[in-house]
Amino acid sequence: MSNRSRSARGRKNASAVKLVGSLVGVFRRAKGLTQRELAEAVGVDEETIASVEQGRRTLKEDVAELLDQLLDTKGALSVALRHLPEVDLFPRWAEGYIDLEREALALSWYDNQVLPGLLQTPAYARAVFLHEVPALTEEEIDQRVAARMERQEILQRKGPPTVSFVISEVTVMDRLGGDAVYAEQLRRLREWADLPAVTLQIMPVGRDFHAGLSGPFILVETADHQRVGYVEGQLHGRLITDPDNVSVLERKYAMLRSQALNPQESKRLLDRLLGDQ
């Protein structure tokens, strides 16, 4: 798919999101409510309502149902949401995180299943998507690889976010896509590890202690200095906004960093692996 067709579809999608957000604002004002009052009634923060109304955040289905009840909209918001153009490059449940990632001041990322998407080469990403079940079409794989590579631009832009990765040695050792893909991916990891805004740590195998046994997660510091977590499973992902739960993830991540190899040791491990190629 050409860049032009991907961009055009993205604009259409963004316009639809903004339209739904504008409807929320119209219905809210018709009820004589402020954004804060509506946020309190729904059980979200005021910034969430503001972001939805401005088209910066996609309205979630459960929130749409609540808003339809509170604003007496006869189901209009839920119907509008169901008829949004399909999200081609990211699942709808991942959109909230992707929006935060683009504007993040800092990211703290732990993964033990596969290398983080922000660190993948195109060939490695393709190998990951080739293992999807049910199988993706070649066009779908091309689209997803392109979207993943576009996300990596945040690491090389002027004023990039501060990003910390803790990744399992197992993910570094797996040879997804074969030996050539593996060697290229190792070189890319070593290059990423030298970026000023990136800290890469590897959790070695054989530890008798491990704070990340509950699975991968990401911590985000937003543009307005809020802390948000994100966890993803087989068929869904969810943002973690409750301060108590975010605190749990922060403490887990701090422990993981203390248990993993430090950044210099991690670079030396990558150097050794590269020397074996």
Side-chain angles (χ1 to χ4, degrees), residues 16-37:
V17 169
K18 289 180 179 178
L19 175 60
V20 173
S22 297
L23 288 174
V24 173
V26 169
F27 293 140
R28 171 182 61 78
R29 288 188 290 273
K31 276 290 186 178
L33 298 173
T34 66
Q35 290 180 342
R36 175 174 297 182
E37 290 170 338

Side-chain angles (χ1 to χ4, degrees), residues 163-180:
V163 187
S164 167
F165 296 98
V166 176
I167 57 178
S168 170
E169 184 179 1
V170 173
T171 65
V172 178
M173 299 295 293
D174 281 345
R175 294 174 176 259
L176 293 180
D179 290 345

Side-chain angles (χ1 to χ4, degrees), residues 72-144:
D72 193 26
T73 58
K74 315 302 183 187
L77 294 174
S78 296
V79 170
L81 191 61
R82 284 197 297 270
H83 288 82
L84 277 177
E86 287 297 319
V87 178
D88 299 302
L89 302 181
F90 305 108
R92 181 173 295 173
W93 43 258
E95 276 195 302
Y97 168 73
I98 296 299
D99 289 343
L100 291 174
E101 183 184 84
R102 290 191 188 104
E103 306 298 329
L105 295 178
L107 295 166
S108 300
W109 191 316
Y110 167 64
D111 218 319
N112 62 359
Q113 300 294 323
V114 68
L115 292 175
L118 292 182
L119 300 178
Q120 294 178 10
T121 64
Y124 182 96
R126 177 172 293 277
V128 171
F129 291 128
L130 279 170
H131 286 82
E132 286 283 348
V133 179
L136 301 173
T137 67
E138 188 65 24
E139 181 181 15
E140 288 172 329
I141 292 173
D142 288 344
Q143 291 173 6
R144 296 193 186 194

Side-chain angles (χ1 to χ4, degrees), residues 145-213:
V145 170
R148 183 153 293 180
M149 295 306 103
E150 289 172 6
R151 286 171 55 199
Q152 295 179 2
E153 293 175 1
I154 69 170
L155 297 180
Q156 302 186 63
R157 72 190 182 199
K158 184 177 181 180
T162 300
V163 187
S164 167
F165 296 98
V166 176
I167 57 178
S168 170
E169 184 179 1
V170 173
T171 65
V172 178
M173 299 295 293
D174 281 345
R175 294 174 176 259
L176 293 180
D179 290 345
V181 172
Y182 174 67
E184 180 191 29
Q185 181 63 71
L186 280 182
R187 289 192 295 271
R188 177 64 62 85
L189 283 177
R190 188 61 182 82
E191 293 168 2
W192 286 133
D194 278 336
L195 289 180
V198 173
T199 301
L200 176 63
Q201 294 180 251
I202 297 174
M203 176 69 77
V205 297
R207 291 292 202 217
D208 59 2
F209 46 81
H210 200 307
L213 297 181

Side-chain angles (χ1 to χ4, degrees), residues 206-241:
R207 291 292 202 217
D208 59 2
F209 46 81
H210 200 307
L213 297 181
S214 297
F217 62 90
I218 304 170
L219 289 163
V220 183
E221 182 179 356
T222 69
D224 56 355
H225 304 289
Q226 300 297 309
R227 301 287 288 182
V228 178
Y230 179 69
V231 295
E232 191 170 283
Q234 287 282 348
L235 298 173
H236 68 280
R238 64 189 179 99
L239 291 172
I240 310 297
T241 58

